[in-house]
Amino acid sequence: MSEYHTPVLLEESVSALVGNADGIYADATFGGGGHSREILSRLASGGRLIAFDRDAEACTNAVNDKRFTLIRNNFRFINNFAMQLGVHFDGILADLGVSSHQFDTAERGFSFRFDAPLDMRMNPDGEKTAADIVNSYGQDELERVLRLYGEVEKSHKVAELIAAARTVRPIRTTVELNAAIEAVIPPFAEHKYLARVYQALRIEVNEEMRSLEKFLEGAKDCLKSGGRLAVITYHSLEDRMVKNFIRCGNVEGKEESDIYGRVTPPLKAVNRKPVLPGESEIAANTRARSAKLRIAEKI
């Protein structure tokens, strides 16, 4: 197994998820396989684990276990595959974070720390890269992406600087992007500011918010009654979507009632507040700093 990252909230998420050792479970974001291996360690011979990942490199970490199946595809299609396989899940886990391996692989273009092509595709076979967005989106659309997905301060100015720089020559690398927006980067918060810009572009490249919405809808449909959904989030946008979906059955947080005026969401929260990593985990694993675990049960 290649070194991807140390799984976040491993004990908390898997303990909340696995209640039936002979059940069928899904790891919707396989990555380095840390959560999958822990789930498998708690399953009996009759148990089954189906994992998903759209990154071909992640799929090289597949577990050699007859109880395990790895599907190379976006987790947004979880219900489609569940129907094809004729299964309903006792539990579904999703760790929404980008792996440290992806950040640390310079040529993937996820990090502003390296001089690399502006790529950021979680599926390297995908058509749209961060460079395509930076060079082809209109200034207003760029501003929207930066504001909505990165909550970037002065997003209008960043979009303006990008639009001006690309008229001279296309922006193809991380270094070129960083230089293009240098004038607006706060001098004592450079890394934090660039992290927000890169987060916004990454989310747009991979359609992460749309994929998360489709995943939540699909997970709700392919969970057994009493089955559990455990989701680990890392930023406010995705955490808000998960919280809203658990509470209302939709990512917008709109309470929808039936013809009798009853609000009946398909899930109920198991934990009123999200589970957070302890101090020792945060000290040992920087990815854990912003992690939140939300757990829900199918009604």
Side-chain angles (χ1 to χ4, degrees):
M1 182 181 79
S2 61
E3 183 61 37
Y4 259 59
H5 59 235
T6 302
V8 173
L9 289 162
L10 180 64
E11 173 62 29
E12 295 87 342
S13 60
V14 176
S15 291
L17 190 75
V18 180
N20 174 13
D22 289 307
I24 304 173
Y25 293 88
D27 181 352
T29 48
F30 178 69
H35 286 104
S36 280
R37 286 174 171 80
E38 183 62 26
I39 293 170
L40 286 166
S41 74
R42 304 187 187 206
L43 297 184
S45 59
R48 187 175 180 188
L49 176 62
I50 300 169
F52 298 81
D53 205 295
R54 53 179 156 175
D55 189 336
E57 193 171 356
C59 292
T60 64
N61 298 316
V63 184
N64 183 18
D65 190 311
K66 65 181 182 180
R67 301 169 298 171
F68 177 78
T69 302
L70 179 57
I71 297 171
R72 190 192 166 194
N73 217 308
N74 193 318
F75 73 162
R76 70 192 293 171
F77 301 117
I78 187 169
N79 191 41
N80 300 61
F81 283 100
M83 288 190 292
Q84 288 180 22
L85 296 168
V87 299
H88 279 81
F89 296 109
D90 293 87
I92 299 171
L93 172 66
D95 178 353
L96 302 181
V98 178
S99 74
S100 54
H101 175 81
Q102 289 173 321
F103 276 124
D104 292 340
T105 304
E107 60 268 24
R108 299 293 296 271
F110 283 101
S111 176
F112 54 82
R113 294 181 290 123
F114 307 109
D115 182 1
L118 274 174
D119 193 319
M120 302 193 196
R121 291 172 296 176
M122 289 184 179
N123 176 3
D125 296 330
E127 295 181 0
K128 182 169 59 179
T129 68
D132 295 328
I133 292 168
V134 165
N135 290 290
S136 67
Y137 277 29
Q139 186 174 319
D140 289 345
E141 184 66 3
L142 273 175
E143 192 275 334
R144 183 195 68 83
V145 168
L146 293 165
R147 172 177 44 80
L148 183 61
Y149 296 149
E151 298 176 312
V152 176
E153 293 183 10
K154 299 182 180 178
S155 55
H156 63 287
K157 182 63 176 177
V158 177
E160 181 182 303
L161 289 170
I162 290 172
R166 70 191 186 190
T167 62
V168 179
R169 63 175 181 271
I171 300 170
R172 296 296 183 191
T173 69
T174 55
V175 168
E176 290 170 354
L177 175 60
N178 298 350
I181 66 175
E182 184 179 12
V184 79
I185 299 174
F188 300 107
E190 178 182 1
H191 285 193
K192 184 176 181 180
Y193 195 85
L194 285 172
R196 288 183 175 274
V197 172
Y198 277 62
Q199 173 184 295
L201 293 173
R202 189 201 77 226
I203 288 173
E204 179 68 10
V205 167
N206 297 290
E207 299 182 345
E208 290 178 37
M209 298 299 97
R210 180 59 175 160
S211 290
L212 175 56
E213 180 179 6
K214 298 299 291 183
F215 161 72
L216 291 169
E217 292 171 350
K220 172 256 298 179
D221 291 336
C222 62
L223 269 175
K224 294 178 181 178
S225 178
R228 287 196 167 184
L229 172 67
V231 184
I232 302 170
T233 67
Y234 293 86
H235 59 76
S236 59
L237 293 175
E238 61 192 16
D239 185 62
R240 190 179 308 122
M241 289 175 68
V242 174
K243 179 181 178 181
N244 285 342
F245 194 87
I246 293 172
R247 182 171 61 87
C248 301
N250 58 74
V251 297
E252 294 84 11
K254 299 176 181 176
E255 291 191 347
E256 299 176 349
S257 56
D258 60 20
I259 59 173
Y260 302 106
R262 297 173 300 192
V263 177
T264 54
L267 304 171
K268 65 177 180 181
V270 172
N271 53 333
R272 187 173 62 86
K273 293 184 178 181
V275 178
L276 305 178
E279 292 182 6
S280 59
E281 181 173 10
I282 292 172
N285 185 358
T286 56
R287 292 183 67 249
R289 290 176 183 171
S290 57
K292 295 179 180 179
L293 169 64
R294 294 192 183 273
I295 307 158
E297 193 168 280
K298 176 75 172 287
I299 297 173

